[in-house]
Amino acid sequence: MSESQEVRMIRETARRFVRSQLVPLEADIDAADEVEPAVLARLRRQAAELGLYGFNLPEEIGGPGLDTDAKLAILEEITYTSVPLSEVIGHLPLSMKFFNEEQRRRVMPGILSGETVITYALTEPDAGSDLSAVRTRAQRAEGGWVLNGSKHFISHAETADHILVLALTDPDASLKARLTTFLVRRDNPGIAGMTRYRKMGWRGYHLNGFTLENCFVPDADVVGGVGDGFLSMIESINHDRIFSASRSLGLSRRGQEMACQYARERRAFGATLGDHQAIQFMLADNDVDIEAARLLIRRAAELVYAGDPLGRIAASRAKLFASEMGCRVSDRVLQVYGGMGYMCELPVERFYRDARAFRIGEGTSEMQRIQIARQALAEVQV
Ligand SMILES: Cc1cc2nc3c(=O)[nH]c(=O)nc-3n(C[C@H](O)[C@H](O)[C@H](O)COP(=O)(O)OP(=O)(O)OC[C@H]3O[C@@H](n4cnc5c(N)ncnc54)[C@H](O)[C@@H]3O)c2cc1C
């Protein structure tokens, strides 16, 4: 499909920024499992100046309101780089649509300019896939709410300025009405015990745990209405699944590009690797896997961005397929490289490590399968 001139320009801008400013930093960040917050802040500012930061947001909350083709073009370009670095282009939570006017005025300018960072905290030690098990409790107090509980595996909680915390406000209500989202400042004295997990991949992108200890949140920082927590989370989830699927795709495309290059150059038994059929088959399987994921992501994006209810299952399909595809492809890429693929000199072993997390975050593969099967079963007449 040919791109409009406008989309081509947006893609070019994103590509130049990613390849000139971000890719050169990847290896050091991965090796150190660290990135200076000041470096990220500078890169976010640059992305904002280029009009890329917050590219996924609609105009109603101050985003650029890009169409599907433009958003997909940016997604394809930013996912070329590693997970911590692709964050600097700001795929921001759509649940911010639930901010009221005053919250939008107070919080959005900092978020949209990349000066302040927001993250969301749903997961708890005893509540991951099963959000009905959320136990972080918000209890009414004068002028606001007092939160107690604990959250874990929360992206950049240690450096975020704002955390969207999902908490239980009415344990007796249905799942759709029992939870509320609170906009909590990280420097709130009620946020304590910040820990950082060591993990397999996504190095330089930190996952944290923390507790909420009598954490007072004023009424002004309730997001949406009391009981709207589930709804505000759902507002974001399909978009986030498309982002997650795109990240698997980006990493796979880059791996395949490298594997094809290597297969053309490296020689064994008097021929290039690419002359051997076993290698060709791996490259062919990668090619088909990648194209299938790309098309599923496009289909999901067309539906989700248009607000079509069919987008929910389309996003689950794309997320399920792309995340599992990313593991297959990065495994084959590593195999094409042989011993060199296992060495840290190249990003190939990183693709393999990083791909694994996509089958867990934003809803595990099993959760996607459950949703997809439920829908398939509901569609037949018996
Ligand atoms: C890299 C990464 C980033 C993350 N970022 C965030 C973040 O920013 N904010 C946040 O809130 N959370 C975040 N998470 C947490 C993530 O959302 C959870 O890890 C995920 O939802 C799974 O929950 P869990 O780890 O508790 O696993 P569990 O829910 O305990 O599941 C364990 C296993 O059992 C399976 N399982 C569970 N129930 C069923 C069932 N009914 N049928 C079949 N199988 C089942 C699961 O699929 C999984 O394989 C992140 C996680 C990762 C890995």
Side-chain angles (χ1 to χ4, degrees):
M1 202 188 70
S2 69
E3 280 179 344
S4 69
Q5 199 181 347
E6 193 191 348
V7 172
R8 261 204 313 280
M9 277 170 57
I10 292 172
R11 179 189 288 282
E12 220 14 75
T13 303
R15 178 174 297 199
R16 239 181 290 120
F17 177 61
V18 167
R19 300 198 187 195
S20 68
Q21 304 295 307
L22 307 184
V23 170
L25 306 177
E26 287 174 1
D28 286 348
I29 291 174
D30 188 66
D33 193 9
E34 200 57 83
V35 48
E36 284 285 319
V39 170
L40 288 182
R42 172 177 59 77
L43 293 169
R44 281 198 303 273
R45 260 198 312 279
Q46 275 178 266
E49 279 158 19
L50 292 170
L52 296 170
Y53 197 79
F55 72 94
N56 64 313
L57 297 183
E59 279 173 307
E60 66 172 281
I61 49 170
L66 295 176
D67 66 16
T68 299
D69 283 348
K71 281 194 264 200
L72 283 172
I74 297 175
L75 278 172
E76 282 181 14
E77 295 306 322
I78 63 170
T79 53
Y80 188 85
T81 190
S82 64
V83 175
L85 284 161
S86 59
E87 287 294 291
V88 308
I89 311 223
H91 186 275
L92 301 176
L94 262 288
S95 40
M96 295 190 298
K97 272 169 131 179
F98 279 67
F99 283 175
N100 60 31
E101 280 309 315
E102 185 278 325
Q103 289 164 340
R104 287 180 189 190
R105 269 197 311 278
R106 174 162 49 97
V107 182
M108 291 301 292
I111 291 174
L112 290 172
S113 64
E115 292 300 318
T116 55
V117 171
I118 188 160
T119 189
Y120 62 90
L122 317 176
T123 308
E124 301 183 358
D126 293 318
S129 304
D130 180 8
L131 282 183
S132 70
V134 163
R135 290 288 167 270
T136 293
R137 186 78 167 96
Q139 278 169 313
R140 197 78 192 112
E142 200 187 327
W145 296 80
V146 175
L147 275 55
N148 281 288
S150 56
K151 297 284 177 185
H152 79 168
F153 305 160
I154 308 307
S155 304
H156 351 279
E158 64 182 55
T159 46
D161 300 274
H162 308 281
I163 307 178
L164 292 166
V165 175
L166 193 69
L168 192 58
T169 34
D170 182 356
D172 300 323
S174 71
L175 177 59
K176 286 190 179 154
R178 77 169 70 152
L179 300 164
T180 300
T181 300
F182 295 89
L183 179 65
V184 184
R185 289 188 55 94
R186 189 194 24 105
D187 59 11
N188 186 313
I191 290 192
M194 188 69 73
T195 56
R196 182 194 284 186
Y197 287 89
R198 285 186 64 228
K199 54 189 172 19
M200 173 179 174
W202 292 31
R203 298 206 178 138
Y205 178 114
H206 300 305
L207 295 184
N208 303 108
F210 59 87
T211 54
L212 296 134
E213 294 173 11
N214 293 323
C215 177
F216 179 77
V217 183
D219 283 327
D221 288 336
V222 171
V223 176
V226 172
D228 281 349
F230 189 80
L231 283 179
S232 73
M233 185 203 72
I234 290 294
E235 186 70 39
S236 233
I237 194 108
N238 295 326
H239 296 258
D240 296 340
R241 285 180 178 163
I242 290 171
F243 183 38
S244 172
S246 300
R247 285 180 142 169
S248 296
L249 176 64
L251 161 160
S252 305
R253 289 175 64 215
R254 181 146 167 218
Q256 169 78 341
E257 227 175 82
M258 289 179 64
C260 289
Q261 191 77 39
Y262 193 66
R264 294 282 302 268
E265 289 164 10
R266 171 94 176 154
R267 297 185 70 79
F269 296 94
T272 66
L273 292 182
D275 289 326
H276 297 294
Q277 211 172 46
I279 299 288
Q280 288 174 8
F281 282 9
M282 285 194 266
L283 297 176
D285 288 344
N286 280 355
D287 179 84
V288 177
D289 258 346
I290 288 170
E291 186 63 2
R294 206 176 62 79
L295 293 170
L296 281 170
I297 290 170
R298 170 161 285 277
R299 174 76 181 142
E302 283 166 358
L303 293 167
V304 169
Y305 297 162
D308 190 316
L310 295 174
R312 185 176 67 89
I313 294 299
S316 282
R317 282 192 201 110
K319 202 275 177 181
L320 171 62
F321 186 84
S323 61
E324 304 213 330
M325 176 281 302
C327 291
R328 289 194 295 272
V329 168
S330 57
D331 183 59
R332 292 187 200 114
V333 168
L334 199 153
Q335 197 65 18
V336 169
Y337 271 86
M340 203 56 216
Y342 197 70
M343 303 301 146
C344 296
E345 269 74 11
L346 295 174
V348 170
E349 57 85 34
R350 168 166 64 77
F351 300 153
Y352 183 81
R353 282 186 280 114
D354 285 356
R356 192 62 182 84
F358 298 120
R359 285 164 56 190
I360 300 166
E362 307 299 352
T364 63
S365 287
E366 291 71 32
M367 291 303 113
Q368 309 309 325
R369 286 193 170 90
I370 288 170
Q371 299 288 332
I372 294 164
R374 260 191 210 144
Q375 179 68 23
L377 289 167
E379 277 172 5
V380 293
Q381 300 278 335
V382 281

